């Protein structure tokens, strides 16, 4: 183990931006059931390369499998500070919903729509409220969407024709 770790560490010293090395190193530790070492590797990877979504997804997935939900939420929160793409935000919302944390999902949606001010995100938020049976809240989301998007010059109908992507 020590020899393999030494090789991975030296490889990262030479080229820390090589995503493949980070991933293989983490997989090596997981295969050998070294959870804390894997955490350390992923933590270093996301500190050095915070825009690499794959590191975040794999780290979060590992913690989720281990049922370490506090860490999952903490990782998502750290990631959202970097304002990642729509897919990352959707994964966070879905994770909160899966864990029956509707208020937390609602809070994430509020930040999500302000980070990605596009009609699709507002529509997803409104549909979420409708699915929760919160028609008044859904109406309020639509109202806020019109205010925000009109203030920025983009209407609710622009750029989303035919977009019926599932949540």
């Amino acid at each position: 183990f020590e020899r393999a770790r030494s090789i991975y560490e030296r490889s990262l010293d030479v080229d820390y931006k090589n995503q493949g090395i980070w991933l293989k190193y983490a997989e090596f530790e997981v295969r050998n059931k070294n959870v804390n070492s894997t955490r350390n590797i992923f933590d270093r990877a996301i500190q050095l390369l915070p825009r690499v979504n794959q590191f975040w997804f794999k780290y979060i997935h590992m913690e989720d499998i281990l049922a370490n939900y506090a860490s999952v939420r903490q990782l998502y929160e750290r990631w959202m500070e970097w304002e990642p793409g729509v897919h990352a935000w959707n994964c966070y919302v879905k994770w909160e919903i899966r864990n029956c944390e509707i208020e937390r999902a609602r809070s994430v949606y509020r930040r999500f729509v302000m980070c990605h001010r596009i009609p699709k995100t507002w529509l997803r938020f409104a549909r979420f409220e409708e699915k929760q049976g919160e028609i008044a809240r859904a109406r309020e989301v639509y109202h806020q969407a019109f205010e925000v998007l009109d203030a920025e010059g983009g209407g609710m109908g622009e750029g989303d024709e035919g977009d019926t992507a599932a949540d």
Side-chain angles (χ1 to χ4, degrees):
F1 292 131
E2 291 307 314
R3 175 86 174 124
R5 283 187 184 118
S6 174
I7 291 169
Y8 281 119
E9 289 296 336
R10 283 184 288 157
S11 297
L12 291 172
D13 285 342
V14 171
D15 185 11
Y16 78 92
K17 291 183 180 180
N18 187 322
Q19 298 170 25
I21 296 171
W22 286 106
L23 293 170
K24 286 178 182 169
Y25 191 9
E27 288 170 15
F28 164 77
E29 294 293 358
V30 167
R31 272 194 315 269
N32 292 295
K33 297 178 176 57
N34 295 320
V35 176
N36 285 331
S37 294
T38 307
R39 283 184 179 122
N40 290 337
I41 292 163
F42 277 131
D43 210 39
R44 287 171 47 208
I46 63 176
Q47 285 176 351
L48 292 169
L49 303 168
R51 296 286 182 193
V52 179
N53 291 341
Q54 192 173 18
F55 295 154
W56 292 98
F57 279 123
K58 287 192 177 279
Y59 193 3
I60 288 168
H61 180 69
M62 180 189 78
E63 293 293 355
D64 197 24
I65 287 173
L66 296 170
N68 192 352
Y69 302 129
S71 289
V72 171
R73 186 170 288 116
Q74 183 181 21
L75 285 167
Y76 269 124
E77 288 296 327
R78 282 176 57 193
W79 191 11
M80 296 307 115
E81 289 174 11
W82 287 95
E83 298 183 352
V86 170
H87 180 64
W89 284 93
N90 280 326
C91 287
Y92 187 15
V93 168
K94 287 177 185 179
W95 182 80
E96 290 291 9
I97 292 169
R98 254 193 335 266
N99 287 291
C100 300
E101 295 285 352
I102 302 306
E103 278 304 315
R104 288 180 191 251
R106 186 172 284 127
S107 173
V108 172
Y109 258 127
R110 284 187 195 109
R111 294 185 336 220
F112 178 17
V113 296
M114 297 315 287
C115 178
H116 293 281
R117 295 174 181 227
I118 56 175
K120 186 190 311 188
T121 60
W122 287 96
L123 290 170
R124 282 191 174 148
F125 187 15
R127 278 189 235 126
F128 162 78
E129 292 296 4
E130 289 171 8
K131 286 178 185 174
Q132 301 308 312
E134 298 285 348
I135 303 306
R137 285 186 182 194
R139 191 172 293 124
E140 181 60 27
V141 169
Y142 283 121
H143 179 71
Q144 290 171 352
F146 278 114
E147 287 178 357
V148 170
L149 295 173
D150 281 347
E152 294 178 0
M156 281 295 285
E158 294 180 15
D160 267 353
E161 289 84 19
D163 183 19
T164 57
D167 289 336

